[in-house]
Amino acid sequence: MVKYFRWLAIALLGALVSAQAQPECTVPAGTSPFEFKSGQNTLRGFIDRPTASGKHPAILIVHGAGSTDVTRGDGGYMSSYDELRAAFRRIGLATVIWDNAGNGCSEGGYALGTPIIERTDETIAAIDALAKRDDIDPTRIGLWAISLGGWIAPMAAVR
């Protein structure tokens, strides 16, 4: 019995240390927070703008179906795509990325199964929120997608 409690205490201590080691929803340096609503979901991510002033064209990065955590990601697949954002920024494009509902800093969730319609609605809501900003050119907003996002982007484009 004592052995069981010792292992439980070690596991709880490890979880506590791990939770404290990761900052909560802090956007990467040089970016700005981006938040919008889609249905009952509050979605959060960030905008990475070029250094020049004025209104910028923008690319929204549409994730696949897996879990995301853009504020604490490693820059790889299903993350914050550091190198891709840097390439877009160098050619004068702002990038926008957010966590899927219920992941990272976003709240809410999707219906069971493949939530392709909800994700399309979400992408359109992100475009609408982005188009209202003073630093983005609303006539030049595009989509870059991977995996399930490759199905969502054309559906959003035709709507």
Side-chain angles (χ1 to χ4, degrees):
M1 188 65 134
V2 171
K3 193 181 272 188
Y4 169 76
F5 285 115
R6 187 176 303 147
W7 282 108
L8 181 60
I10 290 171
L12 289 173
L13 181 61
L16 180 61
V17 168
S18 174
Q20 289 177 347
Q22 297 180 346
E24 284 296 315
C25 302
T26 303
V27 299
T31 68
S32 301
F34 181 64
E35 179 178 310
F36 64 99
K37 298 248 337 153
S38 179
Q40 299 299 312
N41 298 331
T42 300
L43 300 141
R44 295 183 182 94
F46 57 88
I47 298 173
D48 193 354
R49 290 184 308 269
T51 56
S53 61
K55 290 187 173 228
H56 301 288
I59 297 286
L60 284 79
I61 298 174
V62 183
H63 282 296
S67 62
T68 62
D69 194 348
V70 300
T71 62
R72 293 184 293 242
D74 63 1
Y77 179 75
M78 302 306 283
S79 182
S80 58
Y81 302 98
D82 296 341
E83 292 178 18
L84 179 65
R85 291 188 353 260
F88 284 138
R89 189 174 52 247
R90 278 192 301 273
I91 61 170
L93 298 173
T95 55
V96 181
I97 190 166
W98 64 93
D99 283 315
N100 291 338
N103 286 255
C105 297
S106 291
E107 299 171 9
Y110 302 115
L112 294 176
T114 305
I116 197 162
I117 301 300
E118 289 174 272
R119 294 284 311 280
T120 302
D121 293 344
E122 168 185 303
T123 301
I124 292 168
I127 292 168
D128 290 344
L130 191 61
K132 294 175 184 171
R133 295 179 56 98
D134 292 336
D135 55 349
I136 300 297
D137 180 347
T139 66
R140 298 189 299 161
I141 297 175
L143 304 171
W144 183 92
I146 187 167
S147 192
L148 181 65
W151 289 85
I152 295 164
M155 291 175 63
V158 298
R159 286 182 43 197

